[in-house]
Every structure is written in structure tokens, then in C-alpha cells.
Amino acid sequence: MESAANDNATEEQAIIYPPPFPRTNVSNKAVLIRGLYSMVLYLGIGYLVLRRWDLLLVISGVLILHEAGHFLAMKFYRYTDVSMLFLPFIGAFVKGSKHEISQQQSAVIYLAGPLPGILIGIVIHFICMDHPSLYLGGVPWHLIAQILIWTNLLNLLPIFPLDGGQLLNRVFLNEEGRASNIFLLFSMVFITGTAFITGFYILLAFPLFLIYRFFSAKGHLPLENEIENSGIDINKPYPELRNEEYWKIRSIIIRHIPAFHGIAAGPPFHYHDKEDRIAVEVENILQRNLLLDITPAHKIIVVLVWALCLAVPALLGIEFLLFKYFVR
């Protein structure tokens, strides 16, 4: 019996776990090329709809200004793989990754998109009061002010996935619990209703995405439960994974995700041709920490800034005149 136990111990010691598959950040060149491709597609489809390059470029400039605010804020807070992508008919978005997500930083990131456009729009609005005949190409400056102010104010509405909705969900609802789920459900119903009332059915992409995310997360529950029951510490970023932890998580993923069925889990342990995709799944399994680091005083400041922005039209007497230009 003692000899068999020693043999098992020797076998355990003989297992060699290679290091986790190297995950590298996307190169700046690849990010730029991907962003440019999406912009070209956005401009091409946008021109087919508007048939006016001058107006399309103005709208695109407003969009880029907005997303650049998010982009620079995420870069400032050391997010990785930060990129900007354009979506025809919808707009654009900036994405990035970070293991520890700060509520304080998130508040700045979400407000950094709309605030510059609103402020610049206000300045242009008052310039136009003294110089109403100013034009940029064939686009009146007053229309540019209207687009800057109202599109950014719209983005601050507390509807997910608008900036205001994401701000509310992360900073005030902590992205979990019943209140967060009710808020997401309300957003889905609101956007669905808006899509059918306006006939702008492309908006249905948002509730459909949320439904997909819900069922995808539900389908991953058995996988996540097995990892949790295995005692593996997943409360860490990918670079801090120990060799053994990587291969154990990998083994569980291979069993649960059909795309990886048939791949040898080991031992012996060897990288597979699909290892990059497996490594992505391993990284996605690792828990992202939401740091509840925003104080009540800071929350009050965020609410005041948010409310002040939404009150700008009433405070400064700025009318909603977009229909004047777009509805004939």
C-alpha cells in the first residue's frame, strides 16, 4: 500500500504543466486598421442614406468627438486593447479591457464622451446667435450646435446601453442584483417600443444582444459551477494564472464548450491549433472585479453633473430644432 502511494506521488510530481498560452494585446496597427475599415463601411452606408457628404462628415465628426472622449479616458486609466469601432445606422463605440474596474473611473469614462460635445455645442449655439449666417460647407453652424447638444444629451438618458444607462447600472446599481436586472429589462422594453413606434427597427439589435447575453451566461453556468467547485482561484488577471490553474480551467472548458470537443485535455499537456481561442475562453472565465470605490459624496457630484447636462436646454433656452432641418 505504501509503495502504491509513493508511485502515485511520483506520478503527480512528474506531471509538467506548460505555462499558460501567451495572450498578447492587439497591436496599435491592427486596432487602427480595424477602426478604419469600420469607418469606411459606416461612411459608405451613411452616404447611401443621406446623399450628402457635408452633412455626413459633420455627423461623423460629432460621433468621433464623442467616442474620442471615452477612448482617451480609457487610455488614461490604462485599459488594454482599447479600440473604436463604427456601426452603420447606430453610431460607434469604444471598448477596452481591465481586470479591476473602478466605479470612480467608470463615471469619468462614461461622462467623458458626452460632456465635450455638449460644451462645444453650447459655444457654437451662442456664436450663431450673433452670426446666424455661418455655414460649414452647406451645413449651417446652428445645425452643428443642435447635433452636438441633442445627440450627446440623448446619450445621457438612463437607458441601457446609452452612456447614461451604463453609468446608472455600474456606478449606482453595481451591475448586479434585482435592481440591475429590472433596469436592464426596462431598457429592453423601452428600446423595443421605440423601435416599433419610430419604425427604426435597427434598434432591436440592442435588446436582442441583451437576450443573447442572458442565455449565453445561463448556458455557461454549469461550466462556471464546476470551476468554482474545483477550488481554482479565478479572482485574478490572466497574466497571474499559475501553470496548473490554466490547464485545469482549460480541461473544464474543453468538456463544456462543443467547439472544443475532441481536443486532448492532457496529460501530457500540449497546445492545440485552437489554443488561442481556448485561451480567450480561459481569460473570459476569470472574474472581473468591480471596485466599489465611489463615495456617496462623489455619487452626488456625478448626479449633479449628470442632471446639469440634462437641464442645459431649459437653463439656456436651447430649443430642439433638429426636426426643422431633417423633416421637410
Side-chain angles (χ1 to χ4, degrees):
M1 291 292 292
E2 185 177 344
S3 174
N6 289 336
D7 289 342
N8 288 335
T10 304
E11 261 184 49
E12 293 270 343
Q13 293 171 2
I15 294 176
I16 298 175
Y17 294 98
F21 189 77
R23 295 277 299 134
T24 55
N25 294 336
V26 181
S27 69
N28 291 333
K29 182 179 178 181
V31 168
L32 180 61
I33 291 174
R34 190 168 56 192
L36 288 175
Y37 278 148
S38 67
M39 181 187 288
V40 169
L41 180 64
Y42 172 84
L43 291 173
I45 295 177
Y47 179 73
L48 292 176
V49 175
L50 293 175
R51 297 290 180 177
R52 284 187 58 181
W53 279 114
D54 54 356
L55 182 57
L56 176 61
L57 291 176
V58 166
I59 293 173
S60 300
V62 171
L63 191 62
I64 290 171
L65 174 66
H66 178 101
E67 299 304 332
H70 295 313
F71 185 94
L72 293 174
M74 292 176 79
K75 280 288 191 182
F76 180 79
Y77 288 125
R78 302 182 184 278
Y79 277 67
T80 58
D81 296 338
V82 182
S83 60
M84 184 188 303
L85 294 174
F86 293 80
L87 299 174
F89 303 111
I90 294 176
F93 68 95
V94 172
K95 65 175 185 175
S97 58
K98 197 175 187 183
H99 179 65
E100 290 190 333
I101 308 295
S102 159
Q103 286 184 312
Q104 278 194 28
Q105 294 177 6
S106 294
V108 174
I109 290 169
Y110 290 134
L111 292 173
L115 281 179
I118 293 171
L119 294 174
I120 293 173
I122 291 171
V123 171
I124 295 176
H125 171 80
F126 283 106
I127 290 175
C128 290
M129 292 180 67
D130 296 326
H131 305 280
S133 60
L134 288 175
Y135 276 75
L136 181 63
V139 182
W141 277 43
H142 194 253
L143 173 57
I144 297 174
Q146 284 278 308
I147 295 173
L148 279 164
I149 294 169
W150 288 104
T151 56
N152 282 292
L153 286 178
L154 175 67
N155 221 275
L156 281 175
L157 292 178
I159 304 294
F160 194 91
L162 300 178
D163 289 333
Q166 294 191 66
L167 179 66
L168 174 62
N169 194 41
R170 177 169 294 175
V171 176
F172 296 92
L173 302 180
N174 302 335
E175 292 188 327
E176 61 180 19
R178 180 177 297 178
S180 177
N181 291 334
I182 292 173
F183 166 66
L184 292 178
L185 180 61
F186 166 79
S187 296
M188 289 171 58
V189 172
F190 180 87
I191 293 174
T192 301
T194 302
F196 281 104
I197 290 171
T198 62
F200 194 53
Y201 297 113
I202 192 69
L203 291 176
L204 294 175
F206 294 116
L208 288 174
F209 170 74
L210 288 174
I211 292 171
Y212 167 78
R213 192 174 72 170
F214 170 79
F215 283 106
S216 178
K218 192 173 181 180
H220 272 66
L221 277 178
L223 185 155
E224 293 172 359
N225 289 336
E226 184 174 345
I227 290 176
E228 184 178 348
N229 294 334
S230 70
I232 301 171
D233 179 15
I234 58 173
N235 189 24
K236 60 175 65 176
Y238 188 87
E240 294 181 12
L241 266 184
R242 292 188 294 109
N243 298 1
E244 183 179 355
E245 290 172 334
Y246 173 83
W247 291 95
K248 285 184 176 180
I249 295 174
R250 179 187 187 273
S251 175
I252 297 171
I253 286 174
I254 287 172
R255 286 200 300 275
H256 284 273
I257 298 182
F260 303 135
H261 287 175
I263 296 176
F269 299 101
H270 301 290
Y271 298 135
H272 189 268
D273 291 341
K274 296 181 179 179
E275 201 65 37
D276 185 53
R277 290 171 56 191
I278 297 173
V280 170
E281 293 294 337
V282 172
E283 187 170 26
N284 289 339
I285 286 295
L286 302 178
Q287 288 184 352
R288 185 200 63 176
N289 293 330
L290 178 62
L291 301 179
L292 308 181
D293 59 350
I294 190 165
T295 65
H298 287 148
K299 284 187 178 181
I300 291 172
I301 292 172
V302 170
V303 169
L304 289 176
V305 172
W306 193 0
L308 184 62
C309 288
L310 293 175
V312 158
L315 294 174
L316 301 180
I318 299 174
E319 297 180 81
F320 183 81
L321 300 175
L322 286 179
F323 288 142
K324 169 186 171 183
Y325 293 97
F326 291 116
V327 180
R328 300 296 182 184

